[in-house]
């Protein structure tokens, strides 16, 4: 296991990269990792992720109680705690505010399934939750129907949350969601979104299940390509 020092630096580096890509504007967003079975490292509230320092991170217990740190933990701490409680495979959570992906949720548009092979393999389907007031337990209620079966969620009129087996995987998934949203936006502007042929999807489903701990069932949740039960 990496040291606390190494883990804190990894969080800061991840936060800086997301900030530079415009995915964490202002002081928005939050990042956490499950450092041990009973400890979580999380970013503070009200601090720009582009200027985040390792000493500003906080250590919480599994209930969200502060163990170490001089700042206030992220206001979305309940969301992170809930994810760790519900998903033993999840070791990192990133909540961020990508402009294009968030724009889809604001417009009431879904990110369609079965369009890009890499999205199928990395993420599966990306559903949109019901609206919830940020920084409240409402967000927990909004993600509750999806938390066990999906690795990325659009939070209605709010942003995106991704889950990963480690911080690197969560970061890659965060980038992938916004890239996917950009591709879909361009496709709409050019005419229409064409999905992958049905005959090509089974092998991608198998790859996704192998890489992502059998989350393949999420792929067909909102897909109209394959016949029911396939």
């Amino acid at each position: 296991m990496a040291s606390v020092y190494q883990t804190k630096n990894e969080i800061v580096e991840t936060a800086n990269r997301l900030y530079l890509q415009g995915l964490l504007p202002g002081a928005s967003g939050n990042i956490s990792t499950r450092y041990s079975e009973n400890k979580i490292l999380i970013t503070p509230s009200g601090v720009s992720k582009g200027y985040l320092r390792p000493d500003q991170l906080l250590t919480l217990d599994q209930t969200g109680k502060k163990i170490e740190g001089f700042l206030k933990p992220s206001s979305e701490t309940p969301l992170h705690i809930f994810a760790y409680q519900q998903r033993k495979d999840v070791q990192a959570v990133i909540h961020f505010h990508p402009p294009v992906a968030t724009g889809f949720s604001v417009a009431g548009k879904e990110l369609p399934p079965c369009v890009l092979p890499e999205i199928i393999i990395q993420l599966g389907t990306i559903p949109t939750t019901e609206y919830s007031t940020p920084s409240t337990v409402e967000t927990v209620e909004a993600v509750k129907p999806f938390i066990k079966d999906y690795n990325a969620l659009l939070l209605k009129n709010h942003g995106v949350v991704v889950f990963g087996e480690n911080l690197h995987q969560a970061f890659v998934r965060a980038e992938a969601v916004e890239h996917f949203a950009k591709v879909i936006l361009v496709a709409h502007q050019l005419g229409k979104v064409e999905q992958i042929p049905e005959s090509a999807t089974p092998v991608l489903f198998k790859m996704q299940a192998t890489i992502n701990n059998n989350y393949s069932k999420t792929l067909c949740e909102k897909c109209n390509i394959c016949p029911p039960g396939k």
Side-chain angles (χ1 to χ4, degrees):
M1 176 184 290
S3 67
V4 174
Y5 174 81
Q6 291 172 320
T7 304
K8 285 184 175 182
N9 277 303
E10 186 180 6
I11 292 174
V12 169
E13 182 179 0
T14 299
N16 290 165
R17 288 181 176 182
L18 292 171
Y19 172 83
L20 290 174
Q21 293 184 55
L23 304 182
L24 288 172
S28 68
N30 27 84
I31 301 171
S32 72
T33 62
R34 188 182 346 224
Y35 176 66
S36 69
E37 184 177 350
N38 300 314
K39 292 182 180 180
I40 295 165
L41 289 170
I42 195 166
T43 52
S45 177
V47 175
S48 169
K49 306 310 176 292
Y51 299 92
L52 185 66
R53 304 192 312 268
D55 66 295
Q56 293 176 315
L57 298 174
L58 300 101
T59 303
L60 312 178
D61 68 14
Q62 59 187 341
T63 68
K65 181 180 179 180
K66 184 165 68 173
I67 298 174
E68 182 181 354
F70 61 89
L71 294 174
K72 182 179 179 180
S74 167
S75 59
E76 297 288 3
T77 292
L79 170 62
H80 294 253
I81 297 298
F82 182 68
Y84 294 127
Q85 290 174 343
Q86 297 297 310
R87 294 273 298 272
K88 297 301 181 183
D89 63 305
V90 169
Q91 301 297 319
V93 178
I94 299 176
H95 165 53
F96 60 114
H97 293 187
V100 179
T102 303
F104 272 81
S105 77
V106 171
K109 302 292 185 180
E110 298 280 351
L111 290 176
C114 297
V115 175
L116 296 183
E118 58 270 28
I119 295 301
I120 292 178
I121 293 168
Q122 291 182 42
L123 292 168
T125 306
I126 307 171
T128 302
T129 70
E130 294 294 329
Y131 175 76
S132 61
T133 304
S135 304
T136 71
V137 293
E138 288 181 18
T139 303
V140 172
E141 292 301 315
V143 305
K144 188 176 290 185
F146 308 98
I147 187 71
K148 292 185 177 180
D149 295 326
Y150 297 89
N151 290 317
L153 302 172
L154 277 183
L155 304 177
K156 176 64 176 169
N157 290 69
H158 186 183
V160 176
V161 60
V162 294
F163 314 107
E165 295 178 9
N166 52 61
L167 191 56
H168 175 72
Q169 186 184 65
F171 170 74
V172 169
R173 286 173 171 171
E175 284 190 313
V177 171
E178 181 67 350
H179 172 72
F180 181 44
K182 290 177 180 178
V183 170
I184 297 303
L185 178 61
V186 171
H188 279 304
Q189 292 171 336
L190 292 175
K192 66 176 182 177
V193 175
E194 293 191 357
Q195 294 175 301
I196 293 170
E198 179 185 333
S199 60
T201 57
V203 65
L204 297 173
F205 294 172
K206 291 179 181 179
M207 293 171 67
Q208 196 266 359
T210 299
I211 294 173
N212 296 303
N213 293 324
N214 283 322
Y215 278 90
S216 58
K217 63 181 180 178
T218 68
L219 293 169
C220 297
E221 187 70 21
K222 296 184 179 181
C223 182
N224 297 318
I225 295 179
C226 301
K230 183 164 182 178

